[in-house]
Every structure is written in C-alpha cells, then in structure tokens.
Amino acid sequence: MLFSGRRRKLGANPQTEVYTQSLQFYGQPPLENISLSEFETFAVERLKLLKTVENVGVSYVKQSEQYSKKLENELKNLNFPYRSDTQDDRKSQSGPSETEKRRKDYISHFILRLAYCQTEDLRRWFIQQEVDLFRYRFNQLDSKQKLEFLHRNNLQYEAISSKEKKDLQDKLVNSSYAVSGITVETCDFYKLTARSLPAVHSDERLQPLLNHLSHAYVGQDYSIQKNVGKISLEQIDSLSGKSFPLCMRQLHQSLRENHHLRHGGRMQYGLFLKGIGLSLEQALQFWRSEFVKGKVDADKFDKAYAYSVRHMFGKEGRRADYTPYSCMKLILSNPPSQGDYHGCPFRHSDPELLKQKLQFYKVSPGGISQILELVKGMHFQLACQKYFELTHNVEDASFSLSHPNQYFIESQKVLGGVKDTKRETDTSEHSVARGSTAAREAANSSQHSAEMTEDLDSYFKDA
Ligand code: SF4
C-alpha cells in the first residue's frame, strides 16, 4: 500500500478486479495509492465495524437469525458490503456503490491489521472479530458461491514448521481459543503481519496513527469541562455508588479507606473527576482533605501534591488540557501492581476478587455469572456495560461503552441527575463525526500527547 496526498482514481486502478467480490480473503495487500485522509477514515470506520461485530456477537447467538439480521443492518449502516451479490454495482442515490464499499472493506482490513498486530492481546481481539465477520459473510454465500470462493483463494499461507510450533507451543495455546496442548500438534499456524512492521515503523506518518488506533478510542475526549462547578464535593460519595464505573468506584473507595492513592490511581481518578466537572479549587480541596487524614500533612500536600493537581488542570508546566483516560488506555497500558488500584477491574482483577467486589456491590448472582462470562471471553467493556445495565436496571444500555466519563454521563441520563444535554445528545454523533478526524489528530498529536503524559506522570510520582 502506498500513501500519498492524493487519491488515485478508482477506475485507473488495476486492483479494481479485486473489488468485484463481496467476500475477501485479503490475500494480497492493496497496491494502489491512498491518501492519508482516506487512510484515516477507513481505519476508524473498520474499527467501528469490528466493535459492532464484537457487540452483536455477545448479545445474540452467533449465526442465529437475529444475529445475522442485526449484523446485516449494522453493515448496511456503516456502508460495508454485506451481500453475496457480486453483480450489483449500482451507486445508490444516498451512498457509495458496491465497488466502493468493497474497496473500503479491503483496504481498511489491512490498515487495522497493521494497527492490531503489535501485541498478543490486540492480535487476539482483532482476529476474533475478523473471523466472526468472515464467518458471517461466508455463511451468506450459497453453496456455489462458497465453492467459487474456495477455488478462487488457494489459501497459500506460510505455515510455521514443526520445530517452530514446538518452540512456540505455550504461546500458540495461549493465543488460540480452540487449541490445547494436545491439539496444537495437529493444527497449522501461519506467520502473521507483525513481520511487516519494521517497514511501517520507518514511515513516521503512520506509526503514531497505528499506535493510536490500536488503543482504539475514537470517541469524545472529555477534556473540555462544561459542568464545571455543578458537582459539589459532598455529592461525590453518593455519585461514586450510583454513577461511577467500577474502575472509579474502586479508586474512590480506596482513597476514602487509605487516604492515599499512588500516582497511577491519582492520574486516573483525578482526570476522571476533572472530566465530570470538578473545578481546580474543588480538586485541590478534595485531594488535600483526604490526604491530610492519612500520613500527609497540609504543608507536605501543598509542597508535594498541589502542583501536580494544578498541572493536571493545565495551570502549570506546559499548561496542557489533559484528557481523562479512555477504557482502552486503562485496559491496555500500565497494569496495576501490588498496592495499586488503577486500571480496569474487569481486565486486571482476579476473577474471584472481581466476583467478591460485585457481590459486595449487590449485583445478583445471575448478573455476576453473565459478567464473568464476558470477562472470560475478554470482552471487558461489554462486561462493564452489563454491570451498568444491572446496576441501573435497564435491559439494553443502548450505547457502546468506550470511556469511564461516558459511563458517568450515561448513568446520569438514566438517573436524571446532573445534565449537560448538548454533550449527552452529541455523544454518539460526535463520536462518529470525530471518527473521521480522530486518526488525523492522532497522527499530529499522539507523539506530543505521549510526551505530555510522561511529563505529567513525572509530577505525580510519590516523593
Ligand atoms: Fe472503567 Fe472502562 Fe473498565 Fe468500565 S470498562 S471499569 S469504564 S476502564
């Protein structure tokens, strides 16, 4: 795939032949030129598609009629091909032609492959969603089309040797749901895209973008406060029980119990509180009043911690408006160690401990089983969404969770609490609109943000 500032005309591209088929095996990477802006749009839209596949996959029995119907609707809405009909290339009045959809499907698959080949967790998630999508589409073909598809794709992947298989046995078993120590010998494994990464690393425009995509957050950033001062410090205890996601609820509880949080927890919780509307003055008062109940006196707090709180609000250092952390950031980076309370409890807690926490928070035994099932399948955000449904007594959360601050806003919507109508109604559309620019922003700013976050981190370290 080549990247340029301009998009080559579709008709002039010899690869258009590939786009005559609605189902792809993605055997060869695209050879055509593609503009960076199209690269960004395709990446974000594929990500939305795969998240939808994940969502539908845990809400309905796979391959059931309901599952297929739901997926077909979603593919239609997102302008990805969903039919086995290879003839229909009419451009509808309201959307792209089938060829354009297939082109997007083809190219976007390869973009996300690059973004998601970087770690074991990411690979596993990506493969799972792509396999489900492929299985759905394959099942839509009639038997003749299935046969044609198999003939067309001679599936010549490079299999790893028996010796490599032996050497990698543990990793292969851990990374494949259906493979055990016994069956691993009889299965074939193929080399993955990670080997292409060195070439991509050399393109300074793409690497920040791919790193950002693999953290998969394309929604609102909650850094702009519109509710500043609308929440009082007295409300926080009650809000933490009603409207905080589990990650923030456990941080709040730990802070109240220990009168201290280590820097990972302070970063995560401090930025979340800023995002829900705490002003700088309130934040300083909040942290000071809690810390002085423990081993830190007021003088030490002002010397060692107040600066970092002001920094978080952009009043010190680079004066940057720091963004509350998204779920993917919390799930994928900086795992908690002993004595830490940050991270995502659905990802980082031992299942038995998670079960106890949920029992303590009065989640029903049936609900706990459903949550633990989702956790087992590594659907951490969906497990959190289920926790939302159970604790808010709603059947279908009707939003796709990607941020702790989003959880809070949605909870307040259900409970009829503190409102910011514009932001609430904007959230879903905003996420979509933002999608087209998210990658661009990432390419421009992820390097900068990483530096800023490290910078901020350093202010938060314990003395
Ligand atoms: Fe927090 Fe997101 Fe994990 Fe829920 S899924 S507990 S909001 S990090």
Side-chain angles (χ1 to χ4, degrees):
M1 198 167 4
L2 300 170
F3 306 98
S4 73
R6 294 169 126 218
R7 176 179 153 187
R8 187 189 283 182
K9 267 187 108 184
L10 193 59
N13 177 5
Q15 272 214 313
T16 47
E17 203 180 306
V18 174
Y19 311 134
T20 56
Q21 311 301 328
S22 63
L23 183 66
Q24 295 289 338
F25 217 78
Y26 310 109
Q28 290 293 324
L31 297 173
E32 65 175 283
N33 286 329
I34 171 171
S35 71
L36 279 172
S37 96
E38 202 172 31
F39 182 97
E40 294 159 5
T41 309
F42 281 7
V44 171
E45 289 183 2
R46 181 102 189 168
L47 195 52
K48 284 185 202 300
L49 172 64
L50 295 190
K51 283 194 166 283
T52 300
V53 170
E54 181 188 27
N55 225 328
V56 174
V58 295
S59 308
Y60 301 91
V61 177
K62 286 181 188 168
Q63 312 318 324
S64 67
E65 204 177 313
Q66 266 187 315
Y67 172 89
S68 302
K69 220 175 176 70
K70 188 85 184 153
L71 216 46
E72 178 180 321
N73 280 340
E74 296 292 342
L75 284 163
K76 225 188 277 187
N77 291 341
L78 292 167
N79 280 325
F80 278 92
Y82 62 94
R83 274 174 299 186
S84 54
D85 183 357
T86 57
Q87 304 304 316
D88 184 4
D89 191 28
R90 284 163 296 175
K91 190 176 175 85
S92 74
Q93 283 182 336
S94 55
S97 69
E98 285 303 304
T99 300
E100 285 166 333
K101 289 181 195 171
R102 289 171 200 155
R103 177 173 173 272
K104 176 167 90 170
D105 180 62
Y106 193 73
I107 294 175
S108 65
H109 166 88
F110 279 96
I111 297 173
L112 280 217
R113 241 200 230 194
L114 286 170
Y116 276 75
C117 67
Q118 304 184 55
T119 70
E120 197 59 51
D121 272 1
L122 293 173
R123 272 199 286 271
R124 197 191 304 225
W125 183 86
F126 175 74
I127 291 169
Q128 179 65 50
Q129 309 324 321
E130 285 287 346
V131 166
D132 282 354
L133 178 61
F134 177 84
R135 191 182 290 120
Y136 160 76
R137 285 171 163 168
F138 189 74
N139 284 336
Q140 301 309 302
L141 302 179
D142 61 31
S143 7
K144 186 165 163 269
Q145 287 168 325
K146 280 182 183 161
L147 211 58
E148 279 169 8
F149 175 81
L150 292 173
H151 283 161
R152 214 171 34 246
N153 297 278
N154 47 1
L155 311 182
Q156 285 171 358
Y157 284 10
E158 191 188 347
I160 64 171
S161 66
S162 305
K163 184 179 174 314
E164 280 176 296
K165 216 191 288 184
K166 218 168 188 171
D167 293 344
L168 295 169
Q169 176 160 333
D170 286 348
K171 286 186 179 166
L172 293 172
V173 171
N174 288 338
S175 63
S176 315
Y177 288 118
V179 174
S180 69
I182 299 165
T183 57
V184 69
E185 278 192 33
T186 56
C187 292
D188 286 329
F189 295 90
Y190 301 92
K191 295 178 178 174
L192 287 174
T193 309
R195 284 158 196 270
S196 307
L197 265 189
V200 175
H201 273 297
S202 65
D203 191 325
E204 62 191 25
R205 298 167 303 171
L206 299 183
Q207 195 49 40
L209 178 59
L210 294 174
N211 285 340
H212 174 81
L213 277 172
S214 62
H215 282 67
Y217 183 62
V218 292
Q220 193 173 336
D221 70 11
Y222 302 96
S223 63
I224 303 159
Q225 291 174 279
K226 292 197 174 174
N227 277 325
V228 186
K230 288 189 184 160
I231 287 171
S232 70
L233 294 185
E234 291 69 42
Q235 282 177 293
I236 293 184
D237 282 327
S238 133
L239 284 172
S240 75
K242 289 187 207 154
S243 288
F244 284 12
L246 208 50
C247 53
M248 302 304 168
R249 194 172 179 178
Q250 86 174 8
L251 280 167
H252 182 75
Q253 196 185 336
S254 159
L255 177 66
R256 288 291 196 226
E257 281 170 12
N258 306 320
H259 313 299
H260 190 266
L261 278 180
R262 291 164 81 175
H263 84 277
R266 294 202 300 276
M267 291 277 287
Q268 177 174 328
Y269 191 37
L271 288 169
F272 169 80
L273 289 175
K274 177 188 158 201
I276 69 170
L278 242 58
S279 68
L280 171 60
E281 292 67 32
Q282 285 179 307
L284 282 166
Q285 198 187 331
F286 175 76
W287 291 105
R288 185 187 287 113
S289 66
E290 204 55 52
F291 272 46
V292 297
K293 288 182 197 152
K295 293 182 185 154
V296 177
D297 62 31
D299 194 41
K300 183 169 179 201
F301 180 87
D302 288 340
K303 283 192 184 126
Y305 298 97
Y307 182 90
S308 64
V309 177
R310 285 197 300 274
H311 198 278
M312 192 165 20
F313 278 75
K315 302 294 178 204
E316 302 284 357
R318 292 167 188 263
R319 299 187 176 267
D321 194 5
Y322 292 101
T323 308
Y325 295 161
S326 70
C327 294
M328 285 310 273
K329 181 173 171 69
L330 296 174
I331 288 169
L332 291 172
S333 53
N334 190 23
S337 339
Q338 188 77 19
D340 284 332
Y341 293 88
H342 67 264
C344 169
F346 296 102
R347 168 68 182 90
H348 297 119
S349 290
D350 174 85
E352 198 46 44
L353 192 61
L354 177 62
K355 188 175 166 188
Q356 286 172 29
K357 275 181 202 162
L358 294 169
Q359 281 168 341
F360 183 72
Y361 291 141
K362 304 206 169 17
V363 179
S364 66
I368 293 176
S369 306
Q370 290 179 54
I371 289 173
L372 292 179
E373 257 322 288
L374 288 164
V375 167
K376 204 166 147 201
M378 301 183 71
H379 305 294
F380 308 117
Q381 285 152 276
L382 293 174
C384 185
Q385 211 161 305
K386 179 54 73 184
Y387 170 79
F388 179 99
E389 288 166 2
L390 294 165
T391 51
H392 290 76
N393 213 9
V394 290
E395 278 210 354
D396 182 354
S398 76
F399 63 93
S400 180
L401 179 71
S402 54
H403 202 292
N405 287 79
Q406 176 197 14
Y407 183 108
F408 177 79
I409 288 173
E410 293 293 339
S411 167
Q412 287 290 288
K413 256 200 255 185
V414 173
L415 302 175
V418 178
K419 285 200 170 193
D420 177 342
T421 319
K422 178 156 191 335
R423 276 182 70 171
E424 285 165 6
T425 46
D426 273 359
T427 305
S428 55
E429 294 94 320
H430 192 66
S431 299
V432 175
R434 189 183 155 76
S436 59
T437 56
R440 184 179 320 113
E441 285 168 13
N444 291 336
S445 68
S446 63
Q447 183 79 33
H448 186 53
S449 324
E451 281 167 13
M452 290 200 301
T453 305
E454 275 163 26
D455 188 39
L456 182 60
D457 256 330
S458 69
Y459 288 111
F460 269 80
K461 295 230 190 289
D462 291 317

